[in-house]
Amino acid sequence: MAEVYLFLADGFEEIEALTVVDLLRRADITIETVSINGTLQVEGSHKITVKADRIYQTDQCEDGSMLVLPGGMPGTNALMAHEGLRELLFMYRNAAKKLAAICAAPSVLGMNGLLRNKRATCFPGFENKLLGAQIEDKGVVSDEGIITSRGLGTAIEFALAIITELRDHVLARQIAASIQYQ
């Protein structure tokens, strides 16, 4: 059982995904990467291949506290098209569990109505896909268990916001200090 599941599809943004995995593991938060490709090997948008922890199967990721979606293209489009992931996102929100998405991936939440009446941010140019959201021009926005972030340049801040949401700001500051972030 993982506390956090991070979903990967071919074309994911490597830094956005792997920064979250790295920093959460430094914080002793159990996180597993989940491939929606049907294979453990997933190629990022910059041709870096990683091996996911597991392949997506129905009912396998329901026990966590948070789902994380990295951006990148065409990875975000694949996340959007995956019906099992879509159902899981709704299940998590209905159970008041947490969601996080960075770069283009907040569009997956927005296009599915999961950002209505929430403050959110995304990669510039994707704002029209954040249906019903109050869009903020910030690196990271947290609102009632949903964390969104602008992109690669905010990946550390995004991961630290996840740590804060799941644990507390003290641990997030300790992790930030350990990597000499700000």
Side-chain angles (χ1 to χ4, degrees):
M1 172 181 135
E3 184 169 357
V4 177
Y5 294 101
L6 184 141
F7 289 82
L8 299 174
D10 283 338
F12 74 95
E13 174 53 60
E14 296 94 340
I15 289 176
E16 295 167 1
L18 298 178
T19 298
V20 171
V21 173
D22 181 288
L23 294 185
L24 268 62
R25 288 184 179 169
R26 289 173 192 250
D28 292 323
I29 296 172
T30 306
I31 180 170
E32 289 187 7
T33 55
V34 181
S35 167
I36 64 165
N37 286 353
T39 175
L40 288 175
Q41 302 300 319
V42 186
E43 184 177 82
S45 60
H46 297 94
K47 307 303 180 204
I48 300 170
T49 301
V50 300
K51 181 180 177 186
D53 296 314
R54 66 168 61 186
I55 297 170
Y56 177 83
Q57 293 180 354
T58 305
D59 302 332
Q60 264 196 350
C61 302
E62 294 179 356
D63 58 352
S65 298
M66 177 182 275
L67 304 178
V68 179
L69 307 179
M73 286 296 181
T76 296
N77 291 337
L79 295 175
M80 178 76 77
H82 194 276
E83 187 60 33
L85 175 57
R86 182 177 180 276
E87 290 173 7
L88 193 60
L89 290 168
F90 282 115
M91 188 203 78
Y92 267 60
R93 269 328 279 167
N94 290 338
K97 293 184 179 189
K98 300 170 188 322
L99 304 174
I102 183 170
C103 194
S107 67
V108 176
L109 303 179
M111 294 299 288
N112 283 295
L114 296 169
L115 295 178
R116 287 197 197 291
N117 303 313
K118 302 279 187 265
R119 295 176 300 108
T121 192
C122 63
F123 191 79
F126 283 81
E127 293 88 355
N128 65 334
K129 297 179 186 289
L130 305 187
L131 303 179
Q134 176 187 336
I135 298 166
E136 296 191 2
D137 186 18
K138 293 183 178 177
V140 175
V141 175
S142 296
D143 191 353
E144 296 180 19
I146 297 178
I147 302 170
T148 53
S149 188
R150 291 192 68 115
L152 182 148
T154 62
I156 291 174
E157 185 181 359
F158 178 63
L160 293 172
I162 292 170
I163 293 167
T164 298
E165 183 74 28
L166 294 174
R167 294 297 185 271
D168 59 50
H169 67 279
V170 174
L171 179 58
R173 279 196 300 236
Q174 290 171 345
I175 298 299
S178 77
I179 62 169
Q180 299 194 19
Y181 175 71
Q182 297 181 354

